[in-house]
Amino acid sequence: MIGPMSDRLKILFLCTGNSCRSQMAEGWAKHLRSGEIEAVSAGTEAHGLNENAVKVMAEAGVDISGAKSQNVREFLDVAFDYVVTVCDKARETCPFFPGAGRVVHVGFDDPPALAETADTEEDKLDIYRRVRDEIRIFVEGIPGNLEKDQ
C-alpha cells in the first residue's frame, strides 16, 4: 500500500483489467526502483492476474504471482505523484484523482489481444516478453520518461 510519509515517487500504473501491463509495470518498479518509487497498479475493472504475464515476469526474475488485481476506486483518495495509464482504454476512462500530480499516458501493446493470433505457445509468450521488456525500459527511465505522454 502507498504510505503517506514516503519521499519516494508515488505512482499508480492503470490499465483496463489490472491483469497484465499494469501488473508488469508495478512489478518492475518494485524490483528495480523500490528505493525511489512507491508503486501500485489497478484497473478500471479487476480481471484477475494473467498467467502469461506472471510466467514471463518470472523468467526475468520478478515474481508477481502474489499480486492482486485491484479496482482503481480503491485508490481515489491517494495523493499520487503520477497516474500512468498503460493502455488506451484506461486513458479514456481514467477517473479524476484530486491529489494526483500528473496523469501521463504511456501506451503499450495489449499482449492478450495480440497473442490470440499467435501460432504457438512460444509465439504467444514472445509477445508478452516483448511488452515486458518495453515496460522495463520505461520504468528504468523514470522519472524522465514521465515528462511527456509517449
Side-chain angles (χ1 to χ4, degrees):
M1 194 59 183
I2 296 289
M5 299 303 289
S6 172
D7 288 338
R8 298 178 291 169
L9 280 177
K10 293 174 184 61
I11 300 176
L12 168 66
F13 293 102
L14 181 65
C15 199
T16 305
N18 189 221
S19 65
C20 187
R21 291 168 283 185
S22 54
Q23 290 284 354
M24 287 193 277
E26 177 185 1
W28 280 126
K30 288 179 175 179
H31 182 75
L32 298 170
R33 310 289 303 279
S34 64
E36 306 147 282
I37 297 172
E38 201 169 349
V40 295
S41 65
T44 54
E45 304 167 13
H47 288 173
L49 207 50
N50 181 293
E51 66 184 50
N52 288 323
V54 172
K55 187 180 293 186
V56 300
M57 289 297 285
E59 290 175 356
V62 181
D63 182 8
I64 63 169
S65 63
K68 176 186 165 208
S69 184
Q70 304 174 101
N71 190 293
V72 68
R73 289 187 300 262
E74 297 175 42
F75 300 101
L76 292 177
D77 61 346
V78 177
F80 290 103
D81 297 304
Y82 291 93
V83 174
V84 180
T85 58
V86 295
C87 73
D88 291 338
K89 189 169 182 183
R91 179 185 198 180
E92 295 166 8
T93 59
C94 182
F96 175 69
F97 285 86
R102 184 154 182 229
V103 177
V104 177
H105 177 65
V106 185
F108 294 100
D109 285 339
D110 182 8
L114 293 175
E116 288 177 6
T117 60
D119 293 329
T120 67
E121 186 65 24
E122 194 62 25
D123 290 343
K124 183 184 295 189
L125 290 175
D126 283 342
I127 292 167
Y128 282 82
R129 290 177 184 118
R130 177 182 56 80
V131 175
R132 171 202 67 198
D133 294 345
E134 291 170 358
I135 293 170
R136 178 185 180 141
I137 291 167
F138 171 77
V139 170
E140 287 174 332
I142 291 174
N145 285 343
L146 297 170
E147 296 306 315
K148 61 180 178 165
D149 282 359
Q150 300 186 17

